[in-house]
Amino acid sequence: MIYFCAALFLEARPFIERYQLQKTSALKNMQIFQGPAASLIISGAGPTRAAAAVAHLLTLISPEHCPGNNLGHLFVNVGLAGSIVFPQGEIVLCHKLTNTFTGYDFYPEIPFGHGFREGALGSFGHSIRAESLPYDLADMEGAFVFEAAEFFLPLHQIVCLKVVSDQFAPRDVSAETAAAVMRRAADPIAAWIDRETARLDGAANRFFFSPEELEAMERVRQNLFLTRAMCLALEKACQKAKSREENILSVLAEAAGSGRGGKNASKPIYARLMRQLSPTQK
Amino acid sequence: MFFSHIYVEREAAEYATARAILPRFSQSVPISISHYKDVFCRRGQNFTRQKRRPQLILAVKREDYFHRGSRMCDGFGQDNFIYTTQIMNCPFDCAYCYLRGLYGSANVVIFVNPEDTLQAVANSLPAFICVSYDTDLLAFEALTGYVRRWLAFCAARPEAVVEIRTKSAAFHSIAGFDALPNVQLAWTVSPDSVIERFERGTPGLNARLADMRRALEKGWRVRLCVDPIIKTRGWEQDYRAAAQTIRAALPMERLLGVSVGCFRVSKTHYARMEKLEPFSEIFGYTMEERDGTIGYPDEAEMIAMTRAWLTGGAL
């Protein structure tokens, strides 16, 4: 699942279109769009809205309850930012984010081979107009979004991508220009996101047990009337035995085949199975 | 050795070591930070993922210049057994390494003020000092020159006994120095099957043995460490064969000592390590807890067998 968080509709629109997202619910000033592969929330600007939006999205569509594995998700804060270091239209991956209220710095994990320029982002609670700032970029939500997302996902699954719209003078840029800048940047950003999520999915889906082994474990569970705790212990024992390159399939099949005599009769079979899988000396 | 990003503490950037290291990574992106823990101790890091492409952090060590030796480590009977941490983490990626349980991050931290550590240790002599526990100092020698600093330190202070433990084949980086009686070079070795499966990035057994032989020829005091022994399917054959290779390659009688130990870590570290790679064979065998330490139930027999193979005795 790809999670998007953008402050404004014009920042979100190219991704809503590209991932064919449908509006599913609306809080006041906070719209949510969903599709099979992505979810998006429009937070509004400022720290409170950013934090509330991230918490709302990641609770409503919890990574833990999405299909597949928690490892395959990517959270992307995407939006416009001001900069006097980078030209208009440049896509910048933020490698340092500063919450200018608290002064705390946040350091995302940098994805390998992303191909974008990199910079440090300062996040402010209000629109700023300045000649210079001690940051490469300035916006009104990046660091706040990151700080909130950290509560829900591992570091390497959170990225902040900014598209430069102005030179620290956001009011000088029309909505049409900003939308055009965002539209142009959306394709390379989406292409990278698709590559990155495919890579994360690939890493997440390297299952340890074969389908036959999972099926055999399920048969044991049913035939021996295992409780949840017994199932977990069995899975762990199978994991250790398989890591020792032992053939767990035959042991499981034997236990499943001999366990159809009721709960009491299956207890010694379960005990024998666990002994076979977890010998004290190996 | 390549780091795509280098995090530099603002204070560290002023030190000579940092100024020497940074130009060597002109392709890396430098990121200014306030304190190394802002990066090294972030929540939500994935050690195994970071280990594939670690980043470098340059920092200033401000406290805890040395620590008392752990009861899990062999202090070789020395009263004042201490160890120093001038670098955190290591260029190698050993699946059984306790650093996986100790640190939340696989990024490498180099403390750029080794002179402060040396001064603190100088005030605590006499001492037996292990300088390469939480890292492989010799493997980093070409980058930092810290081993050379310890050699100069020991040359001037006979009451300091320093052990430099390594899995590297980087003896060449100190081969130009004269052997010192109060410096012990210790190589950890494993069978090639263990090296290939569980010691990613390390030199093979023969390369390490060749370095040990060169060090002995130059008069250095050299210790052989077959520690930890890793239990795998058929570990006996692997370690017996490795022992034969070792005995054929080294004049065993000239070694300062041979230390043999089995894989063991603290209970807390073991739990963290197992969580990182739950499907590794390292964690596939029955372990037992003794005084907060997790180890093999039959470690005494394993150690005795390995010792016998190393000495050529039959068991």
Side-chain angles (χ1 to χ4, degrees):
Chain A
M1 175 66 73
I2 306 163
Y3 295 95
F4 286 104
C5 179
L8 307 172
F9 183 77
L10 72 87
E11 295 169 326
R13 187 172 187 163
F15 301 98
I16 292 170
E17 290 170 359
R18 178 167 179 124
Y19 291 95
Q20 299 176 337
L21 307 181
Q22 300 292 318
K23 191 170 176 179
T24 55
S25 71
L27 298 172
K28 194 177 179 186
N29 296 327
M30 217 179 268
Q31 300 176 75
I32 294 180
F33 297 81
Q34 271 185 271
S39 306
L40 183 148
I41 193 161
I42 298 174
S43 63
T48 312
R49 287 177 175 188
V54 172
H56 183 59
L57 178 69
L58 291 175
T59 307
L60 190 71
I61 310 160
S62 167
E64 286 172 16
H65 299 135
C66 283
N69 191 310
N70 191 23
L71 299 171
H73 306 306
L74 187 67
F75 182 95
V76 188
N77 172 221
V78 67
L80 297 165
S83 174
I84 52 171
V85 175
F86 301 108
Q88 189 182 62
E90 185 79 56
I91 304 164
V92 184
L93 185 120
C94 302
H95 59 214
K96 177 178 178 179
L97 303 100
T98 304
N99 177 335
T100 60
F101 282 114
T102 60
Y104 291 156
D105 297 322
F106 301 91
Y107 300 92
E109 288 282 296
I110 313 294
F112 189 74
H114 55 77
F116 301 119
R117 302 285 298 276
E118 288 183 26
L121 173 77
S123 293
F124 295 81
H126 50 83
S127 177
I128 53 154
R129 177 182 279 273
E131 293 294 311
S132 69
L133 286 170
Y135 312 104
D136 301 323
L137 302 141
D139 79 344
M140 291 176 64
E141 72 279 345
F144 316 129
V145 165
F146 187 87
E147 194 171 356
E150 265 191 320
F151 284 94
F152 297 89
L153 286 163
L155 273 184
H156 67 273
Q157 290 171 242
I158 311 168
V159 291
C160 179
L161 282 164
K162 293 290 158 185
V163 183
V164 176
S165 59
D166 59 87
Q167 296 192 319
F168 294 152
R171 292 185 202 290
D172 295 351
V173 182
S174 68
E176 291 74 27
T177 309
V181 165
M182 203 65 217
R183 232 184 354 262
R184 278 197 297 276
D187 275 348
I189 290 175
W192 174 78
I193 287 171
D194 291 345
R195 280 199 307 276
E196 187 67 6
T197 46
R199 203 174 55 73
L200 288 170
D201 276 340
N205 289 329
R206 281 202 300 265
F207 293 118
F208 181 67
F209 292 116
S210 68
E212 294 78 22
E213 288 163 344
L214 290 170
E215 200 184 312
M217 274 192 266
E218 178 58 23
R219 273 203 308 277
V220 169
R221 185 188 72 77
Q222 285 176 6
N223 294 357
L224 300 189
F225 307 96
L226 301 188
T227 63
R228 172 115 181 97
M230 290 161 102
C231 283
L232 289 173
L234 173 67
E235 191 178 329
K236 182 131 191 174
C238 286
Q239 181 183 306
K240 285 179 179 283
K242 189 170 177 185
S243 77
R244 298 190 303 264
E245 298 169 21
E246 289 175 16
N247 180 6
I248 59 170
L249 209 50
S250 59
V251 185
L252 288 169
E254 187 194 329
S258 53
R260 291 201 184 89
K263 273 187 184 178
N264 285 339
S266 48
K267 276 182 187 169
I269 301 169
Y270 175 75
R272 191 177 67 227
L273 170 64
M274 293 300 280
R275 274 198 306 277
Q276 283 175 308
L277 291 168
S278 320
T280 49
Q281 301 279 320
K282 258 288 172 185
Chain B
M1 211 174 289
F2 173 73
F3 304 102
S4 67
H5 293 74
I6 304 182
Y7 296 90
V8 188
E9 274 186 8
R10 276 184 279 281
E11 194 184 334
E14 306 301 318
Y15 283 79
T17 307
R19 289 204 299 271
I21 290 173
L22 284 170
R24 303 180 66 161
F25 298 101
S26 56
Q27 301 296 309
S28 307
V29 179
I31 300 173
S32 175
I33 59 174
S34 305
H35 195 282
Y36 80 92
K37 289 183 180 174
D38 294 346
V39 178
F40 194 72
C41 299
R42 291 171 294 174
R43 68 174 164 218
Q45 297 180 91
N46 183 316
F47 190 100
T48 41
R49 188 186 160 83
Q50 284 183 348
K51 197 70 192 171
R52 279 179 242 143
R53 294 187 194 96
Q55 317 290 12
L56 176 63
I57 302 169
L58 300 179
V60 177
K61 197 160 188 64
R62 298 171 179 91
E63 56 189 356
D64 297 333
Y65 294 107
F66 61 83
H67 307 271
R68 298 281 151 208
S70 159
R71 65 189 166 81
M72 253 173 284
C73 307
D74 195 344
F76 305 107
Q78 305 287 328
D79 287 337
N80 191 15
F81 166 37
I82 61 177
Y83 72 95
T84 61
T85 306
Q86 290 171 307
I87 299 178
M88 294 159 81
N89 277 321
C90 154
F92 306 132
D93 183 14
C94 298
Y96 54 76
C97 182
Y98 72 97
L99 295 179
R100 287 167 169 261
L102 182 65
Y103 297 144
S105 171
N107 292 329
V108 175
V109 181
I110 296 179
F111 292 106
V112 296
N113 53 331
E115 55 280 358
D116 293 336
T117 299
L118 294 173
Q119 185 55 53
V121 172
N123 296 335
S124 299
L125 296 178
F128 177 69
I129 312 138
C130 291
V131 299
S132 192
Y133 262 13
D134 295 341
T135 185
D136 192 317
L137 212 58
L138 196 59
F140 279 116
E141 183 59 9
L143 185 62
T144 62
Y146 286 180
V147 172
R148 275 164 277 176
R149 283 174 178 260
W150 278 110
L151 298 184
F153 178 88
C154 290
R157 293 173 184 80
E159 70 275 31
V161 179
V162 163
E163 188 211 64
I164 300 163
R165 194 172 284 209
T166 187
K167 281 183 187 144
S168 75
F171 176 69
H172 58 86
S173 57
I174 56 165
F177 288 80
D178 290 334
L180 293 167
N182 54 339
V183 173
Q184 304 174 4
L185 302 178
W187 268 270
T188 300
V189 300
S190 301
D192 275 321
S193 58
V194 171
I195 292 171
E196 282 158 22
R197 288 186 63 195
F198 303 119
E199 298 181 1
R200 290 178 284 263
T202 62
L205 175 61
N206 284 329
R208 294 184 218 177
L209 294 175
D211 254 26
M212 292 178 75
R213 206 168 44 239
R214 274 193 287 274
L216 283 167
E217 284 163 5
K218 288 196 163 266
W220 288 92
R221 305 178 81 201
V222 174
R223 186 186 300 279
L224 171 74
C225 305
V226 184
D227 185 3
I229 300 169
I230 301 295
K231 191 184 276 191
T232 54
R233 180 176 276 258
W235 73 271
E236 298 95 330
Q237 292 87 326
D238 292 342
Y239 278 85
R240 188 187 288 127
Q244 277 175 2
T245 308
I246 291 165
R247 280 190 287 116
L250 298 176
M252 299 293 281
E253 70 288 352
R254 284 174 57 195
L255 292 173
L256 176 65
V258 177
S259 72
V260 181
C262 279
F263 171 58
R264 75 265 180 213
V265 284
S266 80
K267 191 182 172 185
T268 322
H269 292 171
Y270 185 87
R272 289 187 198 148
M273 291 163 70
E274 190 179 16
K275 204 174 166 188
L276 286 173
E277 287 198 44
F279 306 125
S280 170
E281 193 182 354
I282 299 273
F283 308 107
Y285 292 86
T286 305
M287 308 292 275
E288 70 178 21
E289 186 192 340
R290 283 189 297 272
D291 302 327
T293 301
I294 300 281
Y296 300 126
D298 50 344
E299 70 171 17
E301 295 92 314
M302 291 173 72
I303 290 171
M305 286 161 82
T306 308
R307 274 200 181 281
W309 295 326
L310 284 165
T311 51
L315 197 84

